[in-house]
Amino acid sequence: MNIIDKIEGLEILDSRSRPTVMARCRLKNGVTGVASVPSGASTGKAEAHELRDGDPGRYQGLGCRQAVKNIEEVISPHCSGKVFTDQAAFDQALLQLDGTPNKSNLGANAILACSIAFARALAAKDNLPLYKYFGRLTDNTHFKLPRPTINLFSGGKHAGGQVEVQDLLIVPVSAITMDDCLRDVNAVFHAATQLISNKYNMRALTADEGGLAPGFKDIRAMFEDALQAIEMAGLRPGKDIALATDVASSHFYGDGKYHIAGQERNAMEMVDLIAGWVSEYPLISVEDGLAEDDWDNWPVLKKNLDGKSLTLGDDLLCTNVNRIQRAIDTQSANALLLKVNQCGTLTEAAQAFLLARENGWHVTVSARSGETEDNWLADLAAGWSGDHIKIGSITQSERLAKYNRLLEMEKFEKMSVRG
Ligand code: PGA
Ligand code: ZN
């Protein structure tokens, strides 16, 4: 029986030295589960509410003491001694207890930490690897590793804003194993650090998610440098290594215009700009090509990219079933960027995932720019057999905790990478 004894919280620090939340869920039989949650910087307006203390004397107001207090003084007493048959029952209890549409009462950070800590406790109780437990939530038993999409270059809110485009990612497409995917990515990353040192006369300083961020002359230079690094590594652009991008255009959109590359563009001009990149470069996925509220123009973007590149929604969708349904109905996208903390419980994330899948969409499971050493995201991506995973670069331990877990599942759980 899944009877909760108590749930404790802890304020910890993420990879940007900002507070975030860890929770520990103990069942009456003594089994415990621990989980930490990530946090974004380039956030969508429709995300569930991340509760921060607002006390300027601690961590610039970003403290999470209240979220921890909510775990220990509201959620734990409410759940203690109760039986929760499954994840859905537990998450439902959290939603009811919070009582708001965006989790602003208890905080999505407090709620998600409990949701995942409960999942870890149940997996431990049933003696299941976490990915198998996650698989239960979407009725998946054919586990596959997602193909990684890895940040090579960074701009926008994750770097100094030297170019507006937030991420240029590389996707190892010819490698068959995770081991070989990471080998190829490492070769390109290494070549890119040399290129940057020669061309920009600077060391390979990295942005929030580990991408390199030299002072590119313009956006095209970022694409060109990526192609050059791939070739320097002895790999073929498009054949061995494809490209993906997160334009994150909500963050340079204002007054109905896209403020990019020193120009003001309307939506049609923005679509033309992106379509130009897609025809010129081996881009297989374009995330947030338009702004989160620019619903009228997303169908035009998708039409332009269909058959060439995925139209991937992050800020547009915020892992929210209502927004995903709207995008399906209006043919605004064909791929979901799934970030569990955008919605705030595993059950809601599973619903978002299933809705996307039932409609033939592609799913990229994603980390956040503020991450922790917790690796549950790798198990989630494998447990649900996501198509792609976006964790960041391969230089920082909060990212490598997940990549290394993917390697572990490849070897010890005999999982193969999605084709
Ligand atoms: P965030 O950005 O985690 O900083 O919100 C990631 C993304 O936009 O994909
Ligand atoms: Zn994004």
Side-chain angles (χ1 to χ4, degrees):
M1 290 254 273
N2 311 320
I3 307 173
I4 291 188
D5 178 19
K6 72 171 171 183
I7 310 176
E8 293 162 294
L10 180 68
E11 183 189 66
I12 61 168
L13 296 182
D14 74 16
S15 51
R16 294 169 309 194
S17 191
R18 290 190 190 171
T20 187
V21 180
M22 174 190 272
R24 181 164 74 168
C25 174
R26 192 166 76 203
L27 304 180
K28 276 272 188 245
N29 64 6
V31 171
T32 60
V34 179
S36 305
V37 297
S39 167
S42 167
T43 47
K45 281 194 282 200
E47 294 195 20
H49 183 76
E50 196 174 69
L51 193 64
R52 300 284 184 182
D53 297 337
D55 168 3
R58 291 186 77 246
Y59 295 106
Q60 302 77 46
L62 296 172
C64 291
R65 281 185 171 168
Q66 185 60 45
V68 167
K69 209 166 165 203
N70 290 345
I71 292 175
E72 298 192 337
E73 295 181 14
V74 184
I75 297 174
S76 183
H78 178 81
C79 296
S80 170
K82 293 209 175 99
V83 181
F84 295 98
T85 45
D86 56 16
Q87 187 74 40
F90 180 68
D91 287 346
Q92 187 54 33
L94 296 177
L95 294 188
Q96 267 171 5
L97 191 59
D98 175 78
T100 66
N102 67 347
K103 305 183 176 60
S104 54
N105 189 2
L106 298 173
N109 40 2
I111 290 175
L112 183 62
C114 293
S115 181
I116 302 175
F118 177 80
R120 274 234 170 85
L122 257 59
K125 184 199 120 235
D126 291 347
N127 211 9
L128 285 174
L130 191 58
Y131 74 86
K132 277 196 182 157
Y133 176 85
F134 283 146
R136 281 184 184 172
L137 309 184
T138 56
D139 277 332
N140 183 35
T141 49
H142 299 290
F143 304 110
K144 285 271 184 196
L145 295 176
R147 195 162 284 277
T149 65
I150 300 187
N151 297 49
L152 181 66
F153 294 136
S154 299
K157 286 202 155 208
H158 291 168
Q162 74 285 38
V163 285
E164 292 84 359
V165 171
Q166 184 173 289
D167 306 319
L168 197 154
L169 306 110
I170 50 176
V171 190
V173 284
S174 65
I176 291 169
T177 63
M178 187 60 67
D179 194 31
D180 287 350
C181 284
L182 295 181
R183 175 204 60 197
D184 288 353
V185 166
N186 169 277
V188 178
F189 193 86
H190 188 69
T193 60
Q194 284 183 332
L195 178 73
I196 281 168
S197 141
N198 299 340
K199 186 166 170 185
Y200 298 91
N201 198 21
M202 66 176 282
R203 286 187 54 217
L205 301 175
T206 55
D208 284 350
E209 294 181 331
L212 300 164
F216 300 109
K217 179 166 90 329
D218 51 30
I219 297 164
R220 272 179 191 277
M222 178 157 83
F223 285 113
E224 296 293 340
D225 285 354
L227 296 186
Q228 203 181 331
I230 294 167
E231 281 166 358
M232 280 168 69
L235 295 162
R236 298 164 300 171
K239 296 220 162 60
D240 297 315
I241 303 280
L243 303 180
T245 183
D246 182 2
V247 187
S249 33
S250 306
H251 305 288
F252 53 83
Y253 180 72
D255 306 325
K257 297 272 188 215
Y258 293 87
H259 303 264
I260 181 165
Q263 288 178 359
E264 283 190 2
R265 290 176 179 261
N266 65 29
M268 288 311 122
E269 290 165 336
M270 191 65 205
V271 170
D272 284 347
L273 180 68
I274 294 170
W277 297 337
V278 170
S279 65
E280 207 166 328
Y281 303 113
L283 264 174
I284 60 168
S285 173
V286 175
E287 178 182 339
D288 282 352
L290 294 176
E292 60 200 326
D293 293 329
D294 199 0
W295 282 98
D296 288 348
N297 295 304
W298 272 84
V300 185
L301 175 66
K302 179 178 168 296
K303 230 186 196 148
N304 268 270
L305 300 188
D306 271 352
K308 296 173 219 147
S309 169
L310 293 164
T311 306
L312 176 62
D314 171 16
D315 293 352
L316 175 77
L317 306 170
C318 282
T319 318
N320 173 308
V321 284
N322 297 326
R323 294 180 76 93
I324 297 166
Q325 188 61 57
R326 180 171 175 188
I328 291 165
D329 295 342
T330 55
Q331 302 212 28
S332 294
N334 54 18
L336 166 69
L337 193 85
L338 184 129
K339 290 170 166 168
V340 185
N341 78 329
Q342 283 183 328
C343 60
T345 61
L346 283 170
T347 303
E348 289 162 287
Q351 285 162 354
F353 177 88
L354 290 171
L355 179 59
R357 272 281 191 264
E358 280 155 18
N359 287 278
W361 279 29
H362 165 113
V363 179
T364 298
V365 176
S366 175
R368 303 301 307 245
S369 51
E371 269 294 337
T372 75
E373 63 279 20
D374 199 331
N375 63 8
W376 56 262
L377 190 78
D379 282 73
L380 186 103
W384 294 357
S385 300
D387 300 275
H388 284 166
I389 189 165
K390 180 184 172 200
I391 304 173
S393 193
I394 50 163
T395 54
Q396 300 168 184
S397 287
E398 77 281 3
R399 318 278 150 198
L400 290 163
K402 285 93 167 160
Y403 288 122
N404 289 340
R405 175 67 183 143
L406 293 172
L407 288 172
E408 203 175 274
M409 286 187 281
E410 174 163 84
K411 175 157 183 180
F412 299 124
E413 308 291 332
K414 313 257 177 294
M415 272 186 223
S416 55
V417 178
R418 285 191 76 112

